[in-house]
Amino acid sequence: MESNVIRVKVFRYDPAVDENPYYSHFEIPFEPGMSAMNALDYIYQHLDSSIAYYDHAGCVLGICARCTAKINGKSGLLCQTPVQGDILLEPISTSRVIRDLVVR
């Protein structure tokens, strides 16, 4: 795999439709300085527009914290966490999932 491509693994679950959670895998172009939110934006705009997440959550400044998620197993803000390679994105709490990365 080329070094300018990263793999993004995203937790997926819609309790109204899915019996169990699952993961979707994507390969996207890597850009220096990109955030986890930028990676999700690329996926949404170019690969899968059905993915649910707090799109920029109205701020992109790390102020509102609506985009809090688990990024490679650690809690963080999608809009502020830089991507440095392959990445795993999961909701902050799997017991409160509304859909995909959106929690109540």
Side-chain angles (χ1 to χ4, degrees), residues 15-56:
V17 177
D18 301 319
E19 191 170 319
N20 294 302
Y22 63 96
Y23 289 87
S24 291
H25 298 76
F26 304 95
E27 290 188 355
I28 67 167
F30 173 75
E31 306 232 355
M34 77 185 306
S35 68
M37 180 76 72
N38 296 138
L40 283 170
D41 288 343
Y42 182 90
I43 292 166
Y44 183 84
Q45 293 168 7
H46 300 282
L47 303 172
D48 186 347
S49 62
S50 72
I51 195 164
Y53 64 105
Y54 288 112
D55 179 21
H56 294 284

Side-chain angles (χ1 to χ4, degrees), residues 5-103:
V5 174
I6 60 169
R7 292 183 187 103
V8 182
K9 183 176 176 181
V10 181
F11 178 93
R12 305 297 300 271
Y13 183 52
D14 182 348
V17 177
D18 301 319
E19 191 170 319
N20 294 302
Y22 63 96
Y23 289 87
S24 291
H25 298 76
F26 304 95
E27 290 188 355
I28 67 167
F30 173 75
E31 306 232 355
M34 77 185 306
S35 68
M37 180 76 72
N38 296 138
L40 283 170
D41 288 343
Y42 182 90
I43 292 166
Y44 183 84
Q45 293 168 7
H46 300 282
L47 303 172
D48 186 347
S49 62
S50 72
I51 195 164
Y53 64 105
Y54 288 112
D55 179 21
H56 294 284
C59 80
V60 189
L61 301 172
I63 296 169
C64 73
R66 289 195 54 123
C67 66
T68 302
K70 284 186 189 173
I71 304 156
N72 290 334
K74 295 182 180 181
S75 296
L77 299 176
L78 295 169
C79 70
Q80 296 294 300
T81 303
V83 172
Q84 299 174 350
D86 296 348
I87 189 167
L88 168 63
L89 303 176
E90 299 171 295
I92 195 69
S93 168
T94 57
S95 66
R96 301 180 358 198
V97 172
I98 294 172
R99 195 171 126 225
D100 301 336
L101 300 177
V102 178
V103 296

